[in-house]
């Protein structure tokens, strides 16, 4: 995310002015009178006391802690028969001082709004985000790739990744996304990242069919005009789903500035694999709503949503017009098998369809036809 993003909104505060007209058919005032004056604070001193009811963000401390990323890899590569090169690599990264918000006005369990620390000290009852670089993240992966150089019209590219990513939040600071800001439970934020996908497989191919001029078959005559210059290509992908947190209502927790999760009441959470109403994806009886003034026992990104399998296909044909001018016909099908790719299940224990999948990505099969003229 760009550095400017977290600071272009509530830094330290966006002052908005709303002017209400008598009704929806009348203006606030004639246009020649211009926009009414907006009341702004006096900024001549360089410091502005903000209203106690205004949410704000500020840079914590007296300096901006720019972070850095260390990366390393160790790769073995070997050429195999059939013009194929295979590589096996260990890849790792370590992020230090990544940017994020911290809600410094978060209350302890049961504290409610009166228990917010800035309310006790200054009468400030709303969100107050201290933003700077102070978190960490890491990534470790086994990466295997196989590439077959073009030979006899066939090119292959494939990659498999087995990885794990851990962080404190997927956000760099904009909407106060640290889940637990009360100091004693802050370590609960460190968990698998929201973009952690352990298993990913992708394969791509381009195959120039062996028909036509200069090929093995149908080199001349009507057969060449019918079967020549065709190309078949595609990309296959298979990957696991994204993690999600099993949430719960604040209820008795009453800790503004913190998230609440459900209690996990079974040692193992059984994956049922259902899709649609009345068919949970996970066993909903493995969780219960927390009771008492405490945080739920389940952690961040505990479960994983459904994975996806996808195949995109294309069929191309070239029509040489002259030696320098070529017309190409293209037929492409995204998600050619029209396989549904489902969203994560409802993740709040208070939802009527708890742990049930009720929606899918809007990526149903799409077919596109086109012509491309090259010269």
């Amino acid at each position: 995310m760009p550095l400017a993003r977290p600071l272009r909104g509530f830094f330290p505060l966006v002052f908005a002015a709303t002017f209400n007209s008598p009704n929806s058919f009348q203006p606030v005032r004639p246009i020649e009178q211009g926009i009414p004056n907006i009341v702004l604070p006096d900024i001549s001193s360089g410091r502005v006391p903000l209203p106690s009811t205004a949410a704000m963000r500020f840079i914590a401390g007296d300096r901006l802690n720019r972070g850095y990323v260390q990366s390393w890899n160790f790769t073995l590569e070997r050429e195999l028969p059939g013009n194929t090169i295979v590589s096996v690599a260990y890849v790792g990264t370590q992020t230090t001082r990544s940017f994020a918000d911290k809600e410094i006005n978060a209350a302890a369990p049961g504290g409610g709004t009166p228990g917010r620390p800035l309310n006790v000290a200054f009468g400030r009852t709303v969100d107050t985000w201290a933003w700077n670089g102070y978190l960490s993240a890491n990534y470790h992966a086994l990466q295997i790739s196989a590439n077959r150089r073009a030979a006899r019209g066939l090119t292959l590219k494939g990659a498999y990744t087995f990885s794990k990513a851990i962080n404190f939040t997927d956000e760099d600071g904009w909407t106060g996304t640290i889940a637990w800001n009360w100091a004693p439970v802050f370590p609960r934020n460190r968990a698998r990242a929201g973009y952690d996908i352990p298993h990913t497989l992708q394969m791509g191919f381009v195959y120039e069919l062996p028909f036509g001029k200069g090929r093995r078959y149908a080199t001349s005559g009507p057969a060449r005009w019918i079967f020549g210059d065709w190309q078949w290509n595609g990309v296959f992908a298979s990957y696991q789903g994204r993690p999600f947190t099993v949430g719960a209502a604040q209820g008795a927790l009453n800790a503004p500035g913190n998230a609440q999760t459900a209690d996990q009441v079974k040692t193992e959470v059984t994956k049922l694999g259902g899709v649609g109403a009345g068919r949970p994806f996970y066993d909903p009886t493995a969780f219960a709503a927390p009771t008492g003034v405490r945080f739920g026992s389940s952690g961040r990104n505990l479960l994983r949503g459904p994975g996806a399998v996808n195949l995109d296909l294309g069929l191309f044909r070239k029509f040489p017009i002259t030696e320098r001018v070529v017309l190409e016909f293209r037929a492409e099908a995204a998600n050619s098998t029209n396989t549904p790719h489902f969203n994560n299940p409802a993740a709040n224990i208070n939802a009527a369809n708890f742990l049930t999948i009720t929606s899918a990505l809007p990526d149903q099969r799409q077919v596109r036809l086109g012509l491309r003229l090259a010269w």
Side-chain angles (χ1 to χ4, degrees):
M1 295 294 184
L3 177 64
R5 177 177 176 265
L7 301 181
R8 71 183 182 211
F10 301 101
F11 180 70
L13 186 70
V14 173
F15 286 87
T18 302
F19 309 108
N20 297 315
S21 60
N23 55 61
S24 58
F25 301 101
Q26 292 181 264
V28 173
R29 60 196 296 182
I31 192 170
E32 61 269 17
Q33 295 182 15
I35 299 173
N37 291 330
I38 300 175
V39 179
L40 297 174
D42 180 6
I43 61 174
S44 59
S45 66
R47 293 181 178 272
V48 179
L50 298 177
S52 60
T53 57
M56 66 169 286
R57 170 181 284 112
F58 68 98
I59 296 177
D62 58 359
R63 61 178 295 177
L64 184 65
N65 296 322
R66 295 298 301 268
Y68 58 92
V69 179
Q70 297 168 290
S71 61
W72 56 90
N73 69 83
F74 176 77
T75 305
L76 295 174
E77 187 174 270
R78 186 174 182 87
E79 184 172 3
L80 301 179
N83 296 312
T84 301
I85 297 177
V86 175
S87 66
V88 179
Y90 159 65
V91 177
T93 67
Q94 175 66 44
T95 303
T96 301
R97 295 199 302 270
S98 58
F99 289 127
D101 285 321
K102 184 177 182 181
E103 170 58 272
I104 64 171
N105 204 18
T113 299
R116 286 194 164 203
L118 298 183
N119 184 35
V120 175
F122 308 107
R124 181 172 177 78
T125 61
V126 294
D127 293 338
T128 307
W129 297 312
W131 181 83
N132 214 322
Y134 70 105
L135 295 179
S136 63
N138 61 64
Y139 170 84
H140 300 278
L142 168 67
Q143 298 180 357
I144 302 173
S145 67
N147 297 292
R148 183 183 191 273
R149 297 190 300 272
R152 294 187 178 181
L154 178 62
T155 301
L156 294 174
K157 293 181 71 68
Y160 166 74
T161 301
F162 173 59
S163 64
K164 187 171 186 178
I166 294 177
N167 65 5
F168 283 79
T169 177
D170 297 338
E171 260 283 353
D172 68 342
W174 179 253
T175 55
T177 53
I178 290 290
W180 294 282
N181 292 277
W182 185 50
V185 296
F186 190 84
R188 287 174 58 117
N189 292 292
R190 189 178 187 274
R192 68 179 74 175
Y195 49 81
D196 174 66
I197 300 178
H199 298 283
T200 302
L201 173 66
Q202 289 193 321
M203 296 290 296
F205 72 92
V206 176
Y207 183 39
E208 300 279 353
L209 300 184
F211 306 110
K213 184 179 179 180
R215 306 297 169 83
R216 297 179 63 186
Y217 309 107
T219 58
S220 62
R224 172 191 168 185
W225 293 105
I226 296 173
F227 301 109
D229 300 311
W230 286 95
Q231 180 197 100
W232 185 32
N233 57 70
V235 177
F236 171 81
S238 176
Y239 48 90
Q240 286 189 294
R242 295 180 181 273
F244 65 93
T245 302
V246 181
Q250 282 267 344
L253 175 64
N254 197 15
N258 298 284
Q260 176 62 305
T261 60
D263 280 341
Q264 183 177 336
V265 296
K266 290 185 177 180
T267 305
E268 297 291 335
V269 181
T270 303
K271 182 178 177 180
L272 304 177
V275 175
R279 302 178 59 198
F281 190 71
Y282 285 101
D283 177 13
T285 64
F287 297 92
T291 58
V293 185
R294 60 177 180 81
F295 290 99
S297 62
S298 63
R300 171 176 171 248
N301 288 340
L302 174 69
L303 300 180
R304 188 176 299 279
V309 176
N310 186 74
L311 178 62
D312 297 337
L313 292 175
L315 186 64
F316 296 177
R317 186 181 182 182
K318 293 181 179 179
F319 297 91
I321 299 174
T322 68
E323 290 185 0
R324 300 183 58 184
V325 180
V326 177
L327 180 66
E328 184 180 59
F329 165 75
R330 297 184 174 191
E332 299 171 284
N335 189 7
S336 59
T337 58
N338 206 29
T339 302
H341 302 140
F342 296 106
N343 292 316
N344 285 351
N348 193 294
I349 194 170
N350 299 295
N353 54 353
F354 177 53
L355 293 183
T356 299
I357 295 175
T358 58
S359 63
L361 296 174
D363 63 348
Q364 59 273 16
R365 179 171 53 218
Q366 297 183 23
V367 177
R368 181 171 60 181
L369 304 177
L371 291 174
R372 179 177 183 269
L373 182 65
W375 67 92

